Amino acid sequence: MSLESPAKKDIYGQYHLKKVINASGRMTILGVSTPRPEVVETVSQGLNEYFEIKDLIDKTGQYIARLLNVENALVVSCASAGIAQAVAGLIVKDDRDLLFNLHSSTKNVPREIIVAKGHNVNFGAPIGTMVALGGGVVVEAGYANECYADHIASLINVNTAAILYVKSHHCVQKSMLSVAQAAAVAQKYQIPLIVDAAAEEDLVTYYQQGADIVIYSGAKAIEGPTSGLAIGRHQAIEWLKRQSEGIGRPMKVGKEGILGLTRAIELYINDPKHETGQQMVSKMQPFIEKLNALNGISAKVVWDSAGRDIARAEIAFDAKVIGKTAIEMVDLMKQGDIAVYFRQYKANEGKVDADVRSVTSAQLDTIYHKIKNIIQGVE
């Protein structure tokens, strides 16, 4: 009895999965992004071949480093794993005993990781947990609404292992020092700087500004398979790489992920097909106009708070008119045969954002009709 190939089956039907329209952006909870066919083909080729993995890691890292004109590069399993391994690498360095006994060792080595208080966020998991996994101890600099170079400099001491800068929309944006300013402090005191740039689109800026290790998600802007990218100074990346024998072992990335991300980076640089912010505006303008025609709904274009070239539709719900709060609308939009996910960070303010990067015009129409049906009480 032959079984039909799972690849040819309707996976939604086979596993009883709900279909999703992803208007929240490149989010881990929804599978992040959909790689280009060339990347999928490379992943398939990688799955069906054997390699000396250390050689594969080294050679692809060298290739990526040449593409980006950086000293060194390494594919990791994801950005959060990259943070943990970067912290561990800068604490352990070449100490083999510490490599094997990172969390049990009583050796007196620098373990403090300075993080701006406004950067000590939960991105789906706490930044502090990633630091702790790497054997580090978070030391918060400044205040929730303010952190300058002097705040970080004042905390540097013999126990400081690194400075961690989190470049993310999750972080406080106002009254925070820039990456370049953090790099200047790091260089003055000869302390390594790690930049978590998971969702950022520019793969070289923070390295050029002086960061020792910069970490990206491979599946977000780059649109690779589930993976991460660490680039930086040669020695710092080599120390990170050594963690494959330590905490990095349960975080290992497969051959298909290494090759898939390498191909995705190559395409990202040499054959960019990125949708610009203005193109996003054009795509969602009819959607916004239709929403504004609904009683109790108002919509407008807003731009990414972290400074990326990303335009979104901000949708405000007047609870007094439609009888439902934005928080209730977020929940109702996830129900039914097709779940619609918005960026819901501002739901407590009565509004949500629709990120259209992974949404087609037809799906925008589906979103509009679902909103209309909910507020008009149509089943």
Side-chain angles (χ1 to χ4, degrees):
M1 178 180 177
S2 63
L3 295 176
E4 183 182 359
S5 169
K8 295 181 180 179
K9 290 185 178 180
D10 172 14
I11 58 174
Y12 294 100
Q14 182 180 4
Y15 302 116
H16 307 290
L17 300 170
K18 183 179 288 190
K19 291 187 177 181
V20 172
I21 295 178
N22 177 13
S24 68
R26 308 269 166 78
M27 297 297 180
T28 299
I29 61 166
L30 298 179
V32 195
S33 65
T34 52
R36 288 159 64 163
E38 301 96 319
V39 175
V40 175
E41 181 182 0
T42 301
V43 167
S44 180
Q45 290 175 343
L47 282 167
N48 289 287
E49 300 289 345
Y50 290 104
F51 308 92
E52 294 179 337
I53 297 300
K54 183 180 184 304
D55 190 47
L56 179 65
I57 289 170
D58 289 340
K59 298 294 175 53
T60 53
Q62 291 164 15
Y63 182 75
I64 293 169
R66 289 195 298 271
L67 283 175
L68 300 177
N69 194 27
V70 300
E71 289 182 24
N72 206 347
L74 174 68
V75 176
V76 293
S77 61
C78 62
S80 52
I83 296 170
Q85 291 177 84
V87 168
L90 294 175
I91 290 172
V92 171
K93 297 181 179 177
D94 293 315
D95 189 324
R96 196 162 184 80
D97 174 64
L98 197 56
L99 176 67
F100 295 148
N101 301 285
L102 177 61
H103 294 96
S104 59
S105 174
T106 57
K107 283 188 176 179
N108 186 20
V109 296
R111 289 180 180 263
E112 292 182 358
I113 309 297
I114 300 174
V115 182
K117 190 178 184 70
H119 288 187
N120 193 10
V121 296
N122 187 319
F123 58 88
I127 283 289
T129 296
M130 302 307 112
V131 172
L133 280 171
V137 177
V138 168
V139 176
E140 292 185 338
Y143 307 92
N145 64 338
E146 178 184 81
C147 184
Y148 298 120
D150 287 348
H151 290 125
I152 290 178
S154 68
L155 295 173
I156 294 174
N157 61 71
V158 295
N159 295 313
T160 304
I163 299 166
L164 172 60
Y165 189 106
V166 183
K167 181 67 177 176
S168 169
H169 69 277
H170 291 292
C171 296
V172 174
Q173 305 295 329
K174 297 178 181 178
S175 299
M176 291 285 153
L177 80 169
S178 66
V179 172
Q181 289 169 331
V185 175
Q187 289 167 1
K188 179 179 179 179
Y189 292 93
Q190 297 185 317
I191 299 294
L193 172 65
I194 304 166
V195 176
D196 168 21
E200 291 296 295
E201 299 178 335
D202 191 316
L203 302 185
V204 296
T205 291
Y206 307 122
Y207 169 84
Q208 292 171 344
Q209 290 176 358
D212 295 273
I213 298 175
V214 188
I215 299 157
Y216 298 89
S217 166
K220 291 186 177 177
I222 305 170
E223 295 186 290
T226 300
S227 56
L229 172 67
I231 65 169
R233 311 303 158 189
H234 180 78
Q235 184 61 78
I237 296 298
E238 288 300 308
W239 283 332
L240 192 162
K241 195 183 296 184
R242 290 198 72 204
Q243 289 303 310
S244 63
E245 299 178 69
I247 67 159
R249 180 66 178 184
M251 306 174 189
K252 62 180 179 289
V253 59
K255 56 190 178 179
E256 70 281 3
I258 296 169
L259 289 165
L261 180 58
T262 303
R263 180 64 171 137
I265 293 168
E266 185 178 44
L267 291 168
Y268 188 78
I269 296 168
N270 296 325
D271 185 22
K273 295 180 180 178
H274 315 312
E275 190 176 21
T276 67
Q278 199 53 54
Q279 288 172 325
M280 296 173 205
V281 172
S282 298
K283 181 166 71 173
M284 65 189 172
Q285 202 62 55
F287 172 66
I288 288 174
E289 290 173 2
K290 287 192 292 186
L291 286 174
N292 282 326
L294 296 175
N295 193 27
I297 304 292
S298 60
K300 65 180 182 180
V301 172
V302 294
W303 292 87
D304 181 66
S305 61
R308 295 170 294 175
D309 185 30
I310 302 171
R312 302 186 177 96
E314 181 186 85
I315 307 168
F317 302 97
D318 188 336
K320 293 180 180 178
V321 175
I322 68 174
K324 296 176 180 64
T325 66
I327 293 172
E328 290 171 326
M329 287 297 296
V330 164
D331 182 60
L332 288 167
M333 291 295 288
K334 294 176 183 176
Q335 297 178 21
D337 294 334
I338 299 177
V340 175
Y341 277 74
F342 292 124
R343 297 173 74 83
Q344 59 193 60
Y345 306 114
K346 300 182 286 187
N348 63 314
E349 300 174 16
K351 50 198 174 185
V352 298
D353 287 351
D355 189 309
V356 300
R357 286 176 293 171
S358 300
V359 182
T360 65
S361 296
Q363 288 175 325
L364 282 175
D365 200 46
T366 299
I367 295 172
Y368 161 74
H369 284 291
K370 187 159 187 171
I371 292 173
K372 181 181 177 181
N373 290 341
I374 288 172
I375 66 175
Q376 294 181 353
V378 177
E379 293 293 333

